[in-house]
Amino acid sequence: MKVVVQFVAMGLVWGASFLFMKIALEGVSFGQVAWARLVFGAVTLGIIALATRARLPREPIVWVHFAVVAVTYCVIPFLLFAWAEQYVASSLASIYNAVTPITTALLATAAFRVEKLNRDQVLGVLVGIVGVIVVVGPWQVEALGGSVWGQLACLGAVTCYGFSFGYIRRFISPRAVSSTTSAFLNIGLAAVIMVLLTPLVAWHPITFSWPVLLSLLALGALGTGVVYIWNMNVLRAWGPTATSGVTYVTPVVGVALGILVLGEHLSWNEPVGAAVVLAGILLTQQRVRLFTRRQADLAAAEASASR
């Protein structure tokens, strides 16, 4: 039950993060958004790690693995999503975040071989890809403008997430590293990298306002701090593909907040494409079965006939 509660809470907080990014961009640059959420998140996790006396790993190779995850799970996707929200609505960005289980299934299977896709899951990946195409809407004239680059940036971010889920399962989950330590190393190393990149990504004028500051704090302390401990707990308990299913919740929260708070509007193809993506996710995560259930029924029938 504890893992289920953490899973749902992850979806709610991360769904709201797309709203927080949009508000923060009114006063800071996209690089400063990514910089602030990682630094605030690292400080929060550092305090939690000290309070719980979390032990850091001694093996150098473990630090190398966490450094890889810091780049692919935090630095690159955070920059991509923040950059993308300059050109796309927060609700649309949250829809693209829902593609994560599709990229996770592909990369966890093809790149890391920690999972194996059956026929239903392969169909789910293909359906998900069709859904993404519908969301992008390449037939629209404006698809050649900034919006399409923002959407491609979102897709790049979720591809990074898919890679990271598989990498964590393959190289980090089997090791005896606590969830608090894993989250702290992940975000902490990413924060160090962002601090080193400050002159390139965060050295810009700031327009201060309380909504901007509070959004950055929420993104960092909560969305990039506490939630990452929950994420590690769920990942260890359920595995990469099931954990990435948190994106069932995030687009619902993200779209609702974008419409209610920011007055955003969706084109017809975006919710339709999101529904197609959801169908692909259901197949990929075997919440719905077609081929495998049919094969099981045939096998049961053959076994019954042979008796």
PDB file of all heavy atoms in Angstrom, residues 47-68:
ATOM      1  N   ILE A  47      19.622  17.245   3.058  1.00  0.00           N
ATOM      2  CA  ILE A  47      19.125  17.352   4.434  1.00  0.00           C
ATOM      3  C   ILE A  47      18.492  16.035   4.876  1.00  0.00           C
ATOM      4  O   ILE A  47      18.729  15.552   5.996  1.00  0.00           O
ATOM      5  CB  ILE A  47      18.101  18.504   4.541  1.00  0.00           C
ATOM      6  CG1 ILE A  47      18.804  19.844   4.292  1.00  0.00           C
ATOM      7  CG2 ILE A  47      17.406  18.489   5.897  1.00  0.00           C
ATOM      8  CD1 ILE A  47      17.854  21.020   4.189  1.00  0.00           C
ATOM      9  N   ILE A  48      17.698  15.432   3.976  1.00  0.00           N
ATOM     10  CA  ILE A  48      17.062  14.149   4.303  1.00  0.00           C
ATOM     11  C   ILE A  48      18.111  13.053   4.500  1.00  0.00           C
ATOM     12  O   ILE A  48      18.006  12.236   5.421  1.00  0.00           O
ATOM     13  CB  ILE A  48      16.070  13.749   3.191  1.00  0.00           C
ATOM     14  CG1 ILE A  48      14.907  14.749   3.131  1.00  0.00           C
ATOM     15  CG2 ILE A  48      15.530  12.335   3.415  1.00  0.00           C
ATOM     16  CD1 ILE A  48      13.966  14.522   1.963  1.00  0.00           C
ATOM     17  N   ALA A  49      19.133  13.048   3.639  1.00  0.00           N
ATOM     18  CA  ALA A  49      20.189  12.036   3.748  1.00  0.00           C
ATOM     19  C   ALA A  49      20.944  12.175   5.066  1.00  0.00           C
ATOM     20  O   ALA A  49      21.272  11.169   5.718  1.00  0.00           O
ATOM     21  CB  ALA A  49      21.147  12.158   2.564  1.00  0.00           C
ATOM     22  N   LEU A  50      21.221  13.416   5.486  1.00  0.00           N
ATOM     23  CA  LEU A  50      21.901  13.633   6.762  1.00  0.00           C
ATOM     24  C   LEU A  50      21.022  13.212   7.935  1.00  0.00           C
ATOM     25  O   LEU A  50      21.490  12.586   8.892  1.00  0.00           O
ATOM     26  CB  LEU A  50      22.298  15.104   6.908  1.00  0.00           C
ATOM     27  CG  LEU A  50      23.481  15.581   6.061  1.00  0.00           C
ATOM     28  CD1 LEU A  50      23.639  17.091   6.181  1.00  0.00           C
ATOM     29  CD2 LEU A  50      24.765  14.869   6.476  1.00  0.00           C
ATOM     30  N   ALA A  51      19.734  13.567   7.854  1.00  0.00           N
ATOM     31  CA  ALA A  51      18.809  13.248   8.948  1.00  0.00           C
ATOM     32  C   ALA A  51      18.629  11.747   9.117  1.00  0.00           C
ATOM     33  O   ALA A  51      18.466  11.252  10.244  1.00  0.00           O
ATOM     34  CB  ALA A  51      17.459  13.917   8.705  1.00  0.00           C
ATOM     35  N   THR A  52      18.649  11.027   8.018  1.00  0.00           N
ATOM     36  CA  THR A  52      18.456   9.575   8.069  1.00  0.00           C
ATOM     37  C   THR A  52      19.778   8.807   8.114  1.00  0.00           C
ATOM     38  O   THR A  52      19.786   7.576   8.109  1.00  0.00           O
ATOM     39  CB  THR A  52      17.648   9.098   6.855  1.00  0.00           C
ATOM     40  OG1 THR A  52      18.335   9.472   5.642  1.00  0.00           O
ATOM     41  CG2 THR A  52      16.263   9.724   6.848  1.00  0.00           C
ATOM     42  N   ARG A  53      20.899   9.556   8.109  1.00  0.00           N
ATOM     43  CA  ARG A  53      22.231   8.955   8.144  1.00  0.00           C
ATOM     44  C   ARG A  53      22.440   7.962   7.002  1.00  0.00           C
ATOM     45  O   ARG A  53      22.934   6.842   7.194  1.00  0.00           O
ATOM     46  CB  ARG A  53      22.474   8.271   9.490  1.00  0.00           C
ATOM     47  CG  ARG A  53      22.431   9.232  10.673  1.00  0.00           C
ATOM     48  CD  ARG A  53      22.734   8.531  11.976  1.00  0.00           C
ATOM     49  NE  ARG A  53      22.710   9.468  13.100  1.00  0.00           N
ATOM     50  CZ  ARG A  53      22.945   9.130  14.364  1.00  0.00           C
ATOM     51  NH1 ARG A  53      23.224   7.857  14.658  1.00  0.00           N
ATOM     52  NH2 ARG A  53      22.905  10.028  15.310  1.00  0.00           N
ATOM     53  N   ALA A  54      22.023   8.387   5.832  1.00  0.00           N
ATOM     54  CA  ALA A  54      22.180   7.532   4.653  1.00  0.00           C
ATOM     55  C   ALA A  54      23.661   7.347   4.343  1.00  0.00           C
ATOM     56  O   ALA A  54      24.458   8.278   4.443  1.00  0.00           O
ATOM     57  CB  ALA A  54      21.465   8.177   3.459  1.00  0.00           C
ATOM     58  N   ARG A  55      24.020   6.129   3.972  1.00  0.00           N
ATOM     59  CA  ARG A  55      25.418   5.809   3.686  1.00  0.00           C
ATOM     60  C   ARG A  55      25.690   5.910   2.192  1.00  0.00           C
ATOM     61  O   ARG A  55      24.912   5.400   1.379  1.00  0.00           O
ATOM     62  CB  ARG A  55      25.749   4.402   4.171  1.00  0.00           C
ATOM     63  CG  ARG A  55      25.669   4.249   5.691  1.00  0.00           C
ATOM     64  CD  ARG A  55      26.095   2.846   6.094  1.00  0.00           C
ATOM     65  NE  ARG A  55      26.069   2.680   7.554  1.00  0.00           N
ATOM     66  CZ  ARG A  55      26.408   1.555   8.177  1.00  0.00           C
ATOM     67  NH1 ARG A  55      26.783   0.492   7.449  1.00  0.00           N
ATOM     68  NH2 ARG A  55      26.369   1.492   9.494  1.00  0.00           N
ATOM     69  N   LEU A  56      26.793   6.545   1.861  1.00  0.00           N
ATOM     70  CA  LEU A  56      27.182   6.669   0.462  1.00  0.00           C
ATOM     71  C   LEU A  56      27.972   5.429   0.039  1.00  0.00           C
ATOM     72  O   LEU A  56      28.716   4.848   0.844  1.00  0.00           O
ATOM     73  CB  LEU A  56      28.044   7.919   0.261  1.00  0.00           C
ATOM     74  CG  LEU A  56      27.373   9.251   0.574  1.00  0.00           C
ATOM     75  CD1 LEU A  56      28.348  10.393   0.348  1.00  0.00           C
ATOM     76  CD2 LEU A  56      26.122   9.444  -0.269  1.00  0.00           C
ATOM     77  N   PRO A  57      27.831   5.007  -1.206  1.00  0.00           N
ATOM     78  CA  PRO A  57      28.563   3.820  -1.685  1.00  0.00           C
ATOM     79  C   PRO A  57      30.063   4.086  -1.759  1.00  0.00           C
ATOM     80  O   PRO A  57      30.491   5.225  -1.975  1.00  0.00           O
ATOM     81  CB  PRO A  57      27.957   3.580  -3.068  1.00  0.00           C
ATOM     82  CG  PRO A  57      27.439   4.910  -3.496  1.00  0.00           C
ATOM     83  CD  PRO A  57      26.961   5.586  -2.249  1.00  0.00           C
ATOM     84  N   ARG A  58      30.854   3.040  -1.586  1.00  0.00           N
ATOM     85  CA  ARG A  58      32.304   3.182  -1.625  1.00  0.00           C
ATOM     86  C   ARG A  58      32.907   2.801  -2.977  1.00  0.00           C
ATOM     87  O   ARG A  58      34.005   3.244  -3.315  1.00  0.00           O
ATOM     88  CB  ARG A  58      32.929   2.314  -0.532  1.00  0.00           C
ATOM     89  CG  ARG A  58      32.528   2.744   0.890  1.00  0.00           C
ATOM     90  CD  ARG A  58      33.199   1.866   1.931  1.00  0.00           C
ATOM     91  NE  ARG A  58      32.853   2.275   3.295  1.00  0.00           N
ATOM     92  CZ  ARG A  58      33.313   1.685   4.391  1.00  0.00           C
ATOM     93  NH1 ARG A  58      34.136   0.624   4.265  1.00  0.00           N
ATOM     94  NH2 ARG A  58      32.972   2.115   5.590  1.00  0.00           N
ATOM     95  N   GLU A  59      32.178   1.961  -3.730  1.00  0.00           N
ATOM     96  CA  GLU A  59      32.731   1.504  -5.002  1.00  0.00           C
ATOM     97  C   GLU A  59      32.707   2.636  -6.042  1.00  0.00           C
ATOM     98  O   GLU A  59      31.657   3.217  -6.290  1.00  0.00           O
ATOM     99  CB  GLU A  59      31.942   0.311  -5.541  1.00  0.00           C
ATOM    100  CG  GLU A  59      31.906  -0.872  -4.591  1.00  0.00           C
ATOM    101  CD  GLU A  59      30.742  -0.804  -3.628  1.00  0.00           C
ATOM    102  OE1 GLU A  59      30.178   0.304  -3.474  1.00  0.00           O
ATOM    103  OE2 GLU A  59      30.383  -1.842  -3.046  1.00  0.00           O
ATOM    104  N   PRO A  60      33.842   2.933  -6.671  1.00  0.00           N
ATOM    105  CA  PRO A  60      33.891   4.001  -7.680  1.00  0.00           C
ATOM    106  C   PRO A  60      32.926   3.767  -8.849  1.00  0.00           C
ATOM    107  O   PRO A  60      32.341   4.723  -9.369  1.00  0.00           O
ATOM    108  CB  PRO A  60      35.352   3.969  -8.161  1.00  0.00           C
ATOM    109  CG  PRO A  60      36.107   3.388  -7.011  1.00  0.00           C
ATOM    110  CD  PRO A  60      35.195   2.385  -6.403  1.00  0.00           C
ATOM    111  N   ILE A  61      32.732   2.497  -9.233  1.00  0.00           N
ATOM    112  CA  ILE A  61      31.878   2.207 -10.385  1.00  0.00           C
ATOM    113  C   ILE A  61      30.432   2.626 -10.117  1.00  0.00           C
ATOM    114  O   ILE A  61      29.710   3.030 -11.030  1.00  0.00           O
ATOM    115  CB  ILE A  61      31.944   0.700 -10.747  1.00  0.00           C
ATOM    116  CG1 ILE A  61      31.209   0.440 -12.066  1.00  0.00           C
ATOM    117  CG2 ILE A  61      31.369  -0.144  -9.631  1.00  0.00           C
ATOM    118  CD1 ILE A  61      31.784   1.155 -13.244  1.00  0.00           C
ATOM    119  N   VAL A  62      30.007   2.556  -8.846  1.00  0.00           N
ATOM    120  CA  VAL A  62      28.643   2.972  -8.505  1.00  0.00           C
ATOM    121  C   VAL A  62      28.479   4.465  -8.741  1.00  0.00           C
ATOM    122  O   VAL A  62      27.452   4.922  -9.257  1.00  0.00           O
ATOM    123  CB  VAL A  62      28.314   2.604  -7.044  1.00  0.00           C
ATOM    124  CG1 VAL A  62      26.922   3.108  -6.664  1.00  0.00           C
ATOM    125  CG2 VAL A  62      28.392   1.099  -6.843  1.00  0.00           C
ATOM    126  N   TRP A  63      29.493   5.235  -8.391  1.00  0.00           N
ATOM    127  CA  TRP A  63      29.448   6.680  -8.618  1.00  0.00           C
ATOM    128  C   TRP A  63      29.414   6.986 -10.116  1.00  0.00           C
ATOM    129  O   TRP A  63      28.740   7.928 -10.556  1.00  0.00           O
ATOM    130  CB  TRP A  63      30.653   7.350  -7.971  1.00  0.00           C
ATOM    131  CG  TRP A  63      30.554   7.395  -6.476  1.00  0.00           C
ATOM    132  CD1 TRP A  63      30.825   6.378  -5.603  1.00  0.00           C
ATOM    133  CD2 TRP A  63      30.136   8.497  -5.674  1.00  0.00           C
ATOM    134  NE1 TRP A  63      30.605   6.779  -4.305  1.00  0.00           N
ATOM    135  CE2 TRP A  63      30.190   8.069  -4.312  1.00  0.00           C
ATOM    136  CE3 TRP A  63      29.741   9.800  -5.960  1.00  0.00           C
ATOM    137  CZ2 TRP A  63      29.844   8.921  -3.257  1.00  0.00           C
ATOM    138  CZ3 TRP A  63      29.406  10.651  -4.904  1.00  0.00           C
ATOM    139  CH2 TRP A  63      29.453  10.204  -3.577  1.00  0.00           C
ATOM    140  N   VAL A  64      30.122   6.191 -10.892  1.00  0.00           N
ATOM    141  CA  VAL A  64      30.095   6.376 -12.346  1.00  0.00           C
ATOM    142  C   VAL A  64      28.689   6.150 -12.886  1.00  0.00           C
ATOM    143  O   VAL A  64      28.175   6.922 -13.701  1.00  0.00           O
ATOM    144  CB  VAL A  64      31.094   5.423 -13.039  1.00  0.00           C
ATOM    145  CG1 VAL A  64      30.928   5.491 -14.562  1.00  0.00           C
ATOM    146  CG2 VAL A  64      32.527   5.773 -12.651  1.00  0.00           C
ATOM    147  N   HIS A  65      28.049   5.070 -12.416  1.00  0.00           N
ATOM    148  CA  HIS A  65      26.677   4.779 -12.863  1.00  0.00           C
ATOM    149  C   HIS A  65      25.724   5.918 -12.491  1.00  0.00           C
ATOM    150  O   HIS A  65      24.882   6.327 -13.294  1.00  0.00           O
ATOM    151  CB  HIS A  65      26.186   3.468 -12.246  1.00  0.00           C
ATOM    152  CG  HIS A  65      26.845   2.241 -12.808  1.00  0.00           C
ATOM    153  ND1 HIS A  65      27.105   2.098 -14.160  1.00  0.00           N
ATOM    154  CD2 HIS A  65      27.273   1.090 -12.202  1.00  0.00           C
ATOM    155  CE1 HIS A  65      27.687   0.921 -14.361  1.00  0.00           C
ATOM    156  NE2 HIS A  65      27.799   0.304 -13.207  1.00  0.00           N
ATOM    157  N   PHE A  66      25.861   6.435 -11.288  1.00  0.00           N
ATOM    158  CA  PHE A  66      24.992   7.533 -10.877  1.00  0.00           C
ATOM    159  C   PHE A  66      25.283   8.806 -11.665  1.00  0.00           C
ATOM    160  O   PHE A  66      24.380   9.611 -11.908  1.00  0.00           O
ATOM    161  CB  PHE A  66      25.125   7.794  -9.374  1.00  0.00           C
ATOM    162  CG  PHE A  66      24.225   6.929  -8.537  1.00  0.00           C
ATOM    163  CD1 PHE A  66      24.747   5.898  -7.772  1.00  0.00           C
ATOM    164  CD2 PHE A  66      22.862   7.136  -8.520  1.00  0.00           C
ATOM    165  CE1 PHE A  66      23.918   5.094  -6.996  1.00  0.00           C
ATOM    166  CE2 PHE A  66      22.019   6.341  -7.753  1.00  0.00           C
ATOM    167  CZ  PHE A  66      22.544   5.317  -6.995  1.00  0.00           C
ATOM    168  N   ALA A  67      26.516   9.002 -12.058  1.00  0.00           N
ATOM    169  CA  ALA A  67      26.848  10.168 -12.877  1.00  0.00           C
ATOM    170  C   ALA A  67      26.163  10.075 -14.241  1.00  0.00           C
ATOM    171  O   ALA A  67      25.659  11.082 -14.775  1.00  0.00           O
ATOM    172  CB  ALA A  67      28.364  10.280 -13.048  1.00  0.00           C
ATOM    173  N   VAL A  68      26.133   8.865 -14.816  1.00  0.00           N
ATOM    174  CA  VAL A  68      25.444   8.660 -16.091  1.00  0.00           C
ATOM    175  C   VAL A  68      23.959   8.980 -15.943  1.00  0.00           C
ATOM    176  O   VAL A  68      23.362   9.690 -16.759  1.00  0.00           O
ATOM    177  CB  VAL A  68      25.630   7.208 -16.587  1.00  0.00           C
ATOM    178  CG1 VAL A  68      24.756   6.948 -17.818  1.00  0.00           C
ATOM    179  CG2 VAL A  68      27.094   6.942 -16.918  1.00  0.00           C
TER     180      VAL A  68
END
